[in-house]
């Protein structure tokens, strides 16, 4: 049994048990790329990509996190539907890049069969893949590209370059700035004078040239203790983020990783993410989702690769079998924010609206009207709100689908104020 549990033998033994789980996610990624991606965040990224077409420099000049580097796809396509499909392909490509780059890091850290290990690392992260399906492509660009590239450079003895590899996070996603910054600090702690100098230079450049972004990051950091949209329970959050009880194995293995030069910054950062996430009611769930990839990475690189990845992937593999046998409808609650009927309804709404009118829609219910209006009716202003209605000339409302996941306040918000003037299927237009 001890021989079977050795890496990479355990990795090959587990592959047949892993097939249903992989089939589930391949199905989800194919559904996204074959027509329009169905997740919450995709229409928002399409909107910012369209916005960027008129001002590419906004990546650097805006004080907010968007538009960012992923929205440069808007320079290639001006059609919102084509951009939606492009972002779906981009999300799938991020998973492949993550496997390749974490594999390079594992190879530099001395992990046997490094790309098999990175395959399990990325694909067994249920929340990472679910985030790609949902459209969390900016955060995942940092997590699956900048972070593993940085780790690889550090493991190859280039700590200053490792810090520099995380610098584009500030043009990509502010959550990525948080955990990328934490990893940079750990490089400074463990990586010697060159890492400390590189971090000092980066901080100085941000303070002088990108102070507008730094102020926004600090403002968001100040909200860490604010009330979240849903109650935060750190204990349940661990089970949710890791899709099971694997932290009980991964945390001790990550602590062992603190003894290895190539692993210590990653291990320290991932353990601190758990501590900070437990204390932050506003961002705890997001930080735990990040830790759910970084903690097993440090555990796998600590020298106990087989044990770490077997514990980490066991519950996702079991979930895949439960889905294949019909016991579960999926590995997470589904979202489908755009259907052919809704797309036809939005086209009809845009044709019916008078010039220079304002329209309000709810997040998670009708977000695709935002990029469609920007592309096809630039004279119409669409306001995206959440959990409440405000004043507007018109409202578009599609009731929640009971089969899908929504924040409780979105599910309970109800129809907008005003008079219903037209409807197309379940989507209705109201006059304010």
């Amino acid at each position: 049994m001890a021989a079977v549990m050795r890496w990479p033998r355990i990795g090959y033994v587990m592959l047949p048990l892993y097939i249903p789980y992989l089939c589930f996610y391949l199905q989800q990624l194919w559904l996204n790329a074959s027509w329009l991606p169905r997740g919450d965040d995709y229409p928002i990224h399409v909107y910012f990509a369209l916005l960027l077409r008129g001002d590419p420099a906004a990546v650097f000049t805006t004080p907010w996190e968007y538009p960012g580097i992923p929205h440069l796809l808007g320079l290639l396509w001006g059609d919102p539907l084509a951009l939606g499909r492009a972002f779906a392909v981009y999300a799938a490509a991020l998973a492949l890049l993550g496997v390749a780059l974490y594999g390079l890091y594992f190879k530099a850290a001395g992990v046997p069969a490094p790309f098999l290990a990175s395959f399990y690392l990325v694909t067994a992260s249920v929340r990472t893949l679910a985030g790609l399906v949902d459209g969390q492509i900016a955060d995942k660009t940092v997590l699956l590209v900048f972070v593993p590239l940085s780790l690889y450079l550090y493991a190859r003895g280039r700590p200053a370059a490792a810090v520099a590899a995380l610098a584009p996070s500030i043009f990509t996603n502010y959550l990525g700035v948080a955990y990328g910054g934490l990893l940079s600090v750990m490089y400074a702690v463990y990586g010697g004078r060159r890492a400390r100098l590189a971090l000092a230079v980066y901080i100085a450049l941000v303070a002088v040239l990108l102070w507008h972004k730094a102020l926004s990051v600090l403002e968001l950091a100040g909200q860490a203790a604010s009330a979240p949209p849903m109650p935060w329970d750190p204990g349940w959050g661990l089970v949710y983020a890791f899709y099971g009880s694997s932290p009980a194995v991964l945390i001790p293995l990550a602590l062992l990783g603190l003894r290895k030069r190539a692993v210590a910054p990653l291990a320290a950062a991932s353990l601190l993410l758990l501590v900070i996430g437990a204390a932050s009611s506003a961002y705890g769930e997001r930080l735990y989702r990040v830790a759910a990839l970084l903690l097993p990475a440090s555990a796998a690189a600590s020298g106990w690769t087989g044990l770490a990845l077997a514990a980490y992937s066991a519950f996702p593999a079991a979930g895949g079998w439960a889905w294949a046998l019909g016991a579960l409808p999926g590995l997470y609650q589904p979202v489908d924010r755009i259907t052919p009927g809704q797309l036809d309804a939005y086209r009809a709404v845009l044709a019916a609206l008078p010039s220079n009118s304002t329209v309000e829609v709810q997040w998670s219910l009708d977000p695709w009207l935002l990029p469609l209006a920007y592309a096809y009716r630039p004279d119409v202003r669409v306001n995206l709100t959440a959990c409440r209605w405000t004043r507007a000339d018109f409202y578009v409302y599609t009731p929640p689908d009971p089969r899908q996941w929504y924040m409780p306040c979105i599910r309970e918000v109800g129809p907008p104020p005003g008079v219903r003037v037209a409807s197309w299927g379940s989507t209705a237009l109201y006059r304010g």
Side-chain angles (χ1 to χ4, degrees), residues 325-398:
L325 296 174
L328 288 177
L331 277 81
Y332 55 90
Q333 290 179 287
V335 297
D336 191 356
R337 306 313 194 208
I338 185 69
T339 65
Q342 279 178 290
L343 181 58
D344 291 340
Y346 298 151
R347 286 169 168 157
V349 165
L350 293 175
L353 288 171
S355 297
N356 302 314
S357 54
T358 60
V359 188
E360 189 166 272
V361 298
Q362 286 289 329
W363 174 268
S364 296
L365 297 183
D366 298 286
W368 271 96
L369 191 65
L370 178 64
L372 292 171
Y374 187 86
Y376 302 142
R377 285 293 306 272
D379 59 310
V380 171
R381 179 182 175 184
V382 176
N383 298 327
L384 191 63
T385 188
C387 306
R388 64 189 181 94
W389 297 105
T390 62
R391 294 186 62 180
D393 299 328
F394 295 91
Y395 304 90
V396 172
Y397 177 70
T398 303

Side-chain angles (χ1 to χ4, degrees), residues 393-429:
D393 299 328
F394 295 91
Y395 304 90
V396 172
Y397 177 70
T398 303
D401 182 340
R403 297 168 296 181
Q404 297 187 42
W405 178 89
Y406 303 90
M407 290 191 298
C409 60
I410 294 288
R411 191 177 291 278
E412 297 164 4
V413 69
V419 180
R420 182 169 175 161
V421 295
S423 62
W424 299 267
S426 60
T427 301
L429 176 67

Side-chain angles (χ1 to χ4, degrees), residues 175-382:
L175 176 64
V177 172
Y179 59 82
L182 181 61
L183 184 57
S184 293
V185 170
M186 293 303 105
Y187 289 150
V189 171
Y190 290 99
R193 184 174 61 86
R194 286 179 295 166
R196 290 191 285 273
L197 178 61
L199 181 59
V201 170
Y202 174 67
I203 292 173
L205 289 174
V206 169
V208 174
L209 302 177
L210 300 171
W211 55 267
H212 52 292
K213 284 187 172 290
L215 289 176
S216 294
V217 172
L218 292 174
E219 180 182 349
L220 289 173
Q223 301 171 10
S226 61
M230 292 180 290
W232 172 237
D233 177 353
W236 170 246
L238 269 183
V239 176
Y240 167 83
F242 287 82
Y243 211 77
S245 58
S246 62
V249 175
L250 298 175
I251 291 173
L253 296 182
L255 289 170
L256 293 177
L258 294 172
R259 301 181 302 178
K260 295 184 65 175
R261 187 200 68 84
V263 185
L266 174 61
S270 60
L271 291 166
L272 284 173
L273 279 176
L274 294 181
V275 175
I276 298 169
S280 173
S281 55
Y283 304 130
E285 188 264 341
R286 296 180 185 181
L287 293 175
Y288 272 19
R289 286 190 314 215
V290 173
L293 187 76
L294 299 186
L295 185 71
S298 61
S302 70
W304 295 82
T305 308
L307 177 60
L309 295 179
Y312 174 58
S313 60
F315 284 97
W321 278 101
W323 167 74
L325 296 174
L328 288 177
L331 277 81
Y332 55 90
Q333 290 179 287
V335 297
D336 191 356
R337 306 313 194 208
I338 185 69
T339 65
Q342 279 178 290
L343 181 58
D344 291 340
Y346 298 151
R347 286 169 168 157
V349 165
L350 293 175
L353 288 171
S355 297
N356 302 314
S357 54
T358 60
V359 188
E360 189 166 272
V361 298
Q362 286 289 329
W363 174 268
S364 296
L365 297 183
D366 298 286
W368 271 96
L369 191 65
L370 178 64
L372 292 171
Y374 187 86
Y376 302 142
R377 285 293 306 272
D379 59 310
V380 171
R381 179 182 175 184
V382 176

Side-chain angles (χ1 to χ4, degrees), residues 125-150:
S125 181
V126 173
R127 303 307 167 196
T128 297
L129 294 187
L132 292 174
V133 172
D134 194 44
Q136 298 165 13
I137 54 175
D139 163 36
K140 300 306 182 280
T141 298
V142 178
L143 187 61
L144 296 173
V145 179
F146 301 156
V147 167
L149 176 60
S150 170

